């Protein structure tokens, strides 16, 4: 039995402390939009993972992680019209906390001394956030990925050649995607779902002691 446990902490600040000016026909002739944003993210996590023998050639792995992301955001939007100056100025403060549990479970079977078969299921997440540049008080939801994979790893020709392959299926919930706005600003939004299916095969060989392909 082997195990690992620990904690994670991160605090970061970001944004546009000096308001940027955006020009363009999308706002109308003589109209300028000033935008400035400041954000702060504080992230905490506790995690643990253990690996253990189930049978002489069969080994299992279980792991989990508790994640919390606290996001504070301030946004400024001001509209200026040539000859009139600032005609509208808006400041907003929003905060949001995202809690997610992620995990991994795997089985490894040593079919021979040179061949390993495995299967795994895991969940990962990308933290939610707010759109900056032009501040949007509606938060972007966390992206969640459920991954399923089965495969093998082998060594052949007296371990001079390595051959591995896998079949995988990725199921995304609330994927975060970029969209281009008429003003030219790129913004993030959540799509409903996405799925990826695939097969992977990889081979490598030591031709000589100094050459590998």
């Amino acid at each position: 039995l082997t195990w690992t446990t620990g904690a994670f902490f991160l605090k970061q600040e970001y944004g546009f402390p000096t308001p940027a000016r955006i020009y363009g026909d999308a706002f109308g002739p003589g109209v300028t939009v000033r935008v400035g944003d400041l954000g702060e993210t504080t992230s905490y996590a506790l995690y643990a993972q253990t690996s253990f023998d189930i049978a002489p050639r069969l080994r299992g792995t279980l792991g989990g992680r508790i994640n919390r992301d606290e996001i504070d955001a301030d946004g400024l939007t001001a509209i200026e019209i040539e000859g009139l100056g600032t005609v509208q100025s808006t400041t907003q403060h929003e905060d949001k906390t995202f809690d997610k549990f992620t995990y991994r479970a795997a089985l490894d079977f040593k079919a021979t001394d040179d061949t390993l078969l495995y299967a795994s299921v895991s969940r990962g997440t990308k933290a939610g956030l707010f759109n900056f540049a032009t501040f949007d008080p509606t938060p972007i939801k966390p992206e969640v990925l459920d991954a399923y994979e089965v495969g093998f790893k082998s060594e052949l020709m007296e371990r001079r050649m390595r051959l591995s392959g896998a079949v995988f299926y990725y199921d995304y919930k609330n994927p975060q995607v970029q969209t281009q706005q008429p003003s030219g600003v790129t913004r993030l939004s959540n799509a409903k779902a996405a799925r990826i299916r695939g097969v992977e095969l990889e081979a490598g060989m030591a031709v000589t002691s100094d050459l590998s392909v």
Side-chain angles (χ1 to χ4, degrees), residues 60-77:
T61 299
L62 292 174
R65 179 180 174 121
I66 300 173
N67 307 274
R68 164 166 284 202
D69 296 296
E70 299 173 351
I71 302 176
D72 287 277
D74 294 282
L76 163 68
T77 302

Side-chain angles (χ1 to χ4, degrees), residues 14-20 34-40 72-77 92 130-136:
Y14 45 87
F16 305 91
T18 302
R34 287 191 301 121
V35 293
D37 311 278
L38 287 174
E40 180 181 279
D72 287 277
D74 294 282
L76 163 68
T77 302
Q92 293 178 288
F130 289 96
N131 270 303
F132 284 94
T134 53
F135 183 70
D136 187 344

Side-chain angles (χ1 to χ4, degrees), residues 114 155-161:
D114 299 321
E155 294 181 325
L156 309 170
M157 300 174 61
E158 298 181 345
R159 299 190 174 182
R160 292 176 56 195
M161 180 178 181

